[in-house]
Amino acid sequence: MGRTKLIAHVKQLPDGSWAEPHWLEKHLEGTAEIAAEFARAFGSGTWSHALALAHDAGKSPRKWQEYLCRKSGYDEESHLEGKAGKIDHSSPGAKLAEEVFGKGVGRLMAYCISGHHAGLPDWTGGQKALSFRLSNTTTGEISPELKSMISAVQPGNPPWRFAYNTLDLSLWLRMLFSCLVDADFLDTECYMDFDKADLRGGYLPIGGLLDRFNSYMEQKIGNSEKSPVNDIRQAVLKDCRTAANKAPGVFSLTVPTGGGKTLSSLAFALQHAALHGLGRILYVIPYTSIIEQNANVFREALGDEQVVEHHSNLDDEDFSKKSRLAAENWDAPVIVTTSVQFFESLFASKPSRCRKLHNIVRSVVILDEAQLMPVGFLAPILQTMDLLVEHYGVTFVISTATQPALAKREGFEGLTQKVAEIIDDIPSLYQMLKRVRVELPSDWQRAKSWEEIADELAKYDQVLCVVSDRKSCRELHRLMVRGTVHLSALMCGQHRSAVITLIREKLKKGDPVRVISTQLVEAGVDVDFPVVYRALAGLDSIAQAAGRCNREGKMKEQGKVVVFRAIKKAPPGILRKAAETTETMLKTGLDDPLDHSHFETFFRELYWKANSLDEKKIVNLLKPDPHDCGIQFRKAAEDFKIIDDKAQRSILVPYGKGQKLIGMLKSLGPERWLLRKLQRYTVNVYMGDFFSLEKKGAIECICGGGDSGIYAVTNDLDYDPALGLLVDDPPDNLDLFIQ
């Protein structure tokens, strides 16, 4: 079969006729051109070019050409490996790479080629492993013309000398893989759906966004009332603009709650990116509850169309067609996403998760509330951050009021990059923004009962009490006066958002409002109470809770923060170790838990006490074996789960529109648009609670079955309008991360 007759894709037109095929040679060359352009940003353009030319060579055999001719229309997943009736074209292509480029270069390319539909494979581990696939496939039927075309291109030397005992090589391969799969998607999209492809891009350049932002801030500052807090916020903004002129690297932004770090960090990012030619800004936030809040701030400053949110709580109505496409590969100037989405993508293997990675290259990444980075994954995260700075031109901003101790030191494999602080005078800033006084327990041996705490809280018209687990939240709420608000992740996202809006309205009007909440309210939720109670917890949690007290500094006197020993300790694991570390520090002379100078000591001690900073041995899985370059990509991706999806299940709940949407799911089945809408009406529970709910008939499978079945609450009685989903023994720390 001649080379000009080889087909890559076919499509049927609306009138039933068939378009001219997407010729294989044209697809390979088009993909190679796009992939090479992506990879030039990290000195790997020739590698990406060669890789893309070889990726679909396995489509040239007669059986594949006949299969393509039988296809009727385009299905984005119709050619995924391993699906029933699908022909494996990626294994022969991977084998060809080894034959053409040798087992050194070719082996590296084989990972990407073999996984460009099914995902980066493991080297060992059954029939899906790369070692098995390379040993059980042949290249004899691949077109000689294609072999000749691929052989004519040489990738050259790698862009730098890899440190083989680190994540260096595996991260580089994942970046090449990202360039390949995104280019493959985009070139295919241009053939299959040109109107869709035409929607991509067209955003303002970083310089244009900086001009727009500066005009917005000039107007905002001009219209703001004169106050000490606003003066401090302008000083923070000035420090951020000054630091933006420094060379790319790792920065810390240490600003007390209420100091205006959201807009100031954006000012740093825009000016830094414009000065150093960086392409985009990624704002990474731990909670969806504050993603929406911060994204709205950015949209007001930059324009709705310039900011793209990417997290699980969005449904299709939240996306324009353009922003939905940009969320696929983060091809927009400002991306706002979750910690779960960002960090899990860095260690992913699936094409849909990896295709965005090359757009992290030469960007500014702001890690908001960075103290919440998962301790059990700190080792691979920090090593990857180092590599992104060193080889991929990324600038990180570690932004929080409670800076974690992330620098490398004896016994702690932390960041090797020097961390530059943005704020010129942190002690003075904290002193000026001190708006609360903290009351500590007078007797550390005595824990207060929930009844005692309820009696104390009842004395205040406006008060927030933060406890460390969901069960305690429910127990204390039951003892409170009528009308007290409950807030936890046993309430679906839509429910939590409605409650937070209600709380803000009551605070603004001066109406009585008492709130019992888990720690989800601490990190960045913009509420301002005169009095805050906090059950003994980590020093960072106490400081974050205090940030919800007298936030705007408008009280004549300082706000009141009360730390108490609860009858129930913090949940076992890192939360309890944090509380115990804090208690030890407070007992041995620390009189002010908000003194910023003590946070480094706290985090050093906490990380030392942690069972492991690499609980799943991710670094070992991704370090190449020196004998055969064996890397376990898929195993690492499965194990790197900030929220362990094997230990929990999602349940749809009949809150608000949720009941109607659940009914639609029963009748229509799992339509993509419908499932996205239902994300806002989902609660995650641990498996023990899931089985208890199932046993008592509180939930039922309404779609699918087995591990992939979709479950929903059967009636309103099991979803309380105040407490959310009613479970017997709520999990301890699922409030920490919402995807």
Side-chain angles (χ1 to χ4, degrees):
M1 187 177 291
R3 61 191 293 184
T4 58
K5 297 297 183 182
L6 294 176
I7 299 170
H9 306 104
V10 294
K11 69 174 179 179
Q12 196 168 21
L13 300 174
D15 63 5
S17 63
W18 288 87
E20 181 181 2
H22 192 196
W23 300 115
L24 181 56
E25 183 177 341
K26 183 177 181 181
H27 172 55
L28 295 178
E29 290 175 343
T31 302
E33 184 177 338
I34 298 169
E37 181 62 30
F38 290 156
R40 286 190 190 103
F42 53 100
S44 304
T46 56
W47 278 79
S48 213
H49 181 86
L51 190 60
L53 281 181
H55 84 282
D56 266 356
K59 285 186 175 181
S60 67
R62 181 180 297 277
K63 60 183 178 180
W64 244 100
Q65 291 299 301
E66 291 174 348
Y67 165 68
L68 287 169
C69 289
R70 292 195 304 269
K71 285 180 67 178
S72 56
Y74 174 59
D75 173 0
E76 190 173 273
E77 296 187 347
S78 66
H79 50 321
L80 292 185
E81 308 296 353
K83 288 198 170 189
K86 307 306 175 190
I87 304 170
D88 179 3
H89 73 277
S90 62
S91 295
K95 180 76 169 179
L96 178 64
E98 276 207 345
E99 292 177 356
V100 170
F101 300 112
K103 286 193 175 180
V105 170
R107 175 68 51 80
L108 301 181
M109 297 176 73
Y111 278 106
C112 299
I113 294 171
S114 68
H116 75 277
H117 289 305
L120 285 166
D122 291 336
W123 174 244
T124 59
Q127 295 185 8
K128 293 182 179 180
L130 181 58
S131 57
F132 180 89
R133 292 168 65 181
L134 290 175
S135 299
N136 290 273
T137 191
T138 63
T139 62
E141 295 185 26
I142 293 178
S143 159
E145 289 86 358
L146 277 186
K147 289 183 178 180
S148 177
M149 181 177 75
I150 294 164
S151 300
V153 179
Q154 291 298 323
N157 294 323
W160 56 83
R161 186 177 180 86
F162 297 111
Y164 275 82
N165 62 338
T166 71
L167 300 180
D168 195 1
L169 180 62
S170 62
L171 179 60
W172 181 68
L173 285 176
R174 198 180 285 104
M175 283 293 185
L176 286 178
F177 182 66
S178 173
C179 295
L180 170 64
V181 295
D182 194 27
D184 190 16
F185 270 106
L186 294 174
D187 186 73
T188 302
E189 183 180 81
C190 282
Y191 169 75
M192 293 294 183
D193 190 346
F194 182 78
D195 290 340
K196 184 177 176 182
D198 198 43
L199 281 173
R200 293 186 182 273
Y203 295 96
L204 281 177
I206 290 292
L209 292 178
L210 178 60
D211 291 341
R212 183 176 287 190
F213 176 81
N214 287 340
S215 296
Y216 169 81
M217 289 303 296
E218 184 178 350
Q219 184 176 3
K220 183 179 179 66
I221 292 170
N223 293 336
S224 63
E225 62 183 58
K226 187 72 174 176
S227 72
V229 170
N230 281 334
D231 289 344
I232 292 168
R233 289 171 177 167
Q234 289 177 40
V236 170
L237 177 64
K238 182 180 178 181
D239 281 354
C240 284
R241 284 173 164 161
T242 300
N245 298 318
K246 295 180 180 179
V250 182
F251 294 82
S252 57
L253 177 58
T254 309
V255 177
T257 301
K261 64 183 173 65
T262 299
L263 282 171
S264 293
S265 62
L266 182 59
F268 170 92
L270 287 168
Q271 187 166 318
H272 186 78
L275 179 64
H276 297 290
L278 308 184
R280 62 185 42 79
I281 295 155
L282 286 89
Y283 211 97
V284 181
I285 304 175
Y287 297 129
T288 52
S289 56
I290 54 174
I291 275 192
E292 295 158 6
Q293 171 184 297
N294 287 6
N296 287 336
V297 170
F298 297 155
R299 288 192 182 98
E300 185 177 341
L302 303 176
D304 288 350
E305 71 285 358
Q306 303 299 326
V307 179
V308 172
E309 288 181 68
H310 186 203
H311 54 88
S312 63
N313 267 9
L314 292 169
D315 66 42
D316 283 355
E317 289 183 3
D318 296 313
F319 283 106
S320 66
K321 289 182 180 179
K322 186 181 183 72
S323 64
R324 187 184 306 119
L325 293 173
E328 293 175 354
N329 62 352
W330 287 356
D331 186 17
V334 180
I335 301 289
V336 186
T337 190
T338 61
S339 303
V340 172
Q341 181 69 238
F342 180 77
F343 289 124
E344 288 188 0
S345 293
L346 284 174
F347 297 92
S349 64
K350 293 182 179 179
S352 59
R353 295 294 296 270
C354 287
R355 66 179 291 200
K356 64 177 82 77
L357 294 182
H358 69 91
N359 277 328
I360 298 175
V361 176
R362 298 193 58 76
S363 66
V364 181
V365 178
I366 301 168
L367 300 178
D368 195 32
E369 305 299 350
Q371 77 281 356
L372 290 175
M373 284 196 291
V375 175
F377 293 110
L378 267 184
I381 285 174
L382 296 180
Q383 191 178 130
T384 300
M385 287 173 61
D386 266 332
L387 291 168
L388 288 171
V389 173
E390 184 176 357
H391 295 313
Y392 302 94
V394 175
T395 285
F396 280 99
V397 179
I398 303 169
S399 176
T400 175
T402 53
Q403 281 291 340
L406 300 180
K408 182 180 176 67
R409 54 188 177 273
E410 185 177 355
F412 180 75
E413 293 296 322
L415 290 172
T416 60
Q417 300 287 329
K418 184 178 178 181
V419 180
E421 174 56 49
I422 290 174
I423 298 302
D424 184 54
D425 187 352
I426 294 175
S428 296
L429 178 63
Y430 272 72
Q431 188 60 40
M432 289 187 293
L433 277 174
K434 190 170 184 179
R435 293 152 296 178
V436 303
R437 67 184 189 279
V438 181
E439 295 183 7
L440 300 172
S442 57
D443 182 0
W444 283 103
Q445 303 304 314
R446 182 179 178 276
K448 288 187 176 182
S449 69
W450 294 130
E451 286 80 4
E452 289 178 282
I453 296 299
D455 287 343
E456 289 187 32
L457 297 175
K459 298 174 183 177
Y460 305 102
D461 287 336
Q462 293 187 338
V463 62
L464 166 66
C465 181
V466 183
V467 296
S468 296
D469 65 276
R470 300 176 179 185
K471 189 173 184 180
S472 296
C473 190
R474 290 194 312 175
E475 289 177 353
L476 178 55
H477 180 266
R478 286 195 189 101
L479 298 170
M480 291 296 296
V481 297
R482 186 179 179 85
T484 298
V485 176
H486 167 278
L487 190 59
S488 84
L490 283 173
M491 302 152 69
C492 66
Q494 190 69 26
H495 194 173
R496 293 195 306 271
S497 294
V499 168
I500 291 171
T501 298
L502 175 67
I503 292 168
R504 288 179 180 141
E505 289 174 352
K506 286 182 174 291
L507 288 170
K508 188 175 182 180
K509 293 178 182 178
D511 294 343
V513 55
R514 302 176 182 90
V515 179
I516 312 299
S517 177
T518 59
Q519 60 266 44
L520 70 80
V521 78
E522 289 176 346
V525 177
D526 189 4
V527 291
D528 190 353
F529 284 85
V531 180
V532 171
Y533 274 58
R534 186 39 164 116
L536 182 64
L539 206 63
D540 58 326
S541 292
I542 292 172
Q544 293 292 343
R548 310 314 118 197
C549 182
N550 194 20
R551 185 179 178 88
E552 296 298 321
K554 293 182 178 180
M555 295 175 62
K556 292 181 180 179
E557 299 179 354
Q558 289 186 328
K560 180 179 179 180
V561 175
V562 179
V563 177
F564 64 95
R565 284 197 65 184
I567 197 70
K568 182 181 178 183
K569 291 183 178 180
I574 200 67
L575 294 181
R576 183 169 296 178
K577 289 174 181 177
E580 291 170 349
T581 300
T582 300
E583 184 173 354
T584 299
M585 292 177 69
L586 292 172
K587 284 180 178 179
T588 54
L590 173 59
D591 58 352
D592 182 4
L594 305 186
D595 185 338
H596 78 94
S597 65
H598 298 295
F599 291 131
E600 181 171 354
T601 302
F602 166 76
F603 280 109
R604 281 174 174 256
E605 183 73 11
L606 180 62
Y607 296 157
W608 179 78
K609 288 180 177 178
N611 292 335
S612 173
L613 301 180
D614 189 6
E615 290 178 355
K616 301 294 185 178
K617 309 300 180 188
I618 302 298
V619 174
N620 286 337
L621 289 169
L622 293 175
K623 287 193 301 187
D625 185 290
H627 301 294
D628 52 24
C629 199
I631 302 173
Q632 299 297 95
F633 282 108
R634 188 164 298 186
K635 173 65 173 170
E638 290 171 354
D639 287 352
F640 194 102
K641 297 292 183 185
I642 294 176
I643 302 176
D644 187 357
D645 52 12
K646 294 179 181 178
Q648 63 171 308
R649 290 293 292 268
S650 296
I651 297 172
L652 303 176
V653 298
Y655 173 81
K657 294 180 180 179
Q659 188 161 18
K660 180 181 178 182
L661 293 171
I662 291 170
M664 294 173 68
L665 181 62
K666 289 179 179 179
S667 60
L668 298 177
E671 299 281 345
R672 179 182 177 276
W673 64 270
L674 182 55
L675 292 177
R676 292 201 69 91
K677 284 183 177 295
L678 280 163
Q679 287 284 353
R680 296 285 295 171
Y681 302 91
T682 298
V683 172
N684 293 332
V685 298
Y686 279 122
M687 294 307 297
D689 296 317
F690 174 83
F691 291 133
S692 295
L693 290 166
E694 187 179 34
K695 185 176 180 180
K696 73 176 186 178
I699 59 175
E700 64 177 351
C701 184
I702 62 170
C703 187
D707 292 340
S708 60
I710 300 174
Y711 283 77
V713 173
T714 54
N715 59 68
D716 292 345
L717 297 177
D718 290 296
Y719 191 84
D720 188 90
L723 300 175
L725 184 62
L726 299 179
V727 298
D728 294 329
D729 190 15
D732 49 24
N733 62 351
L734 266 180
D735 295 311
L736 279 178
F737 289 97
I738 310 297
Q739 294 190 66

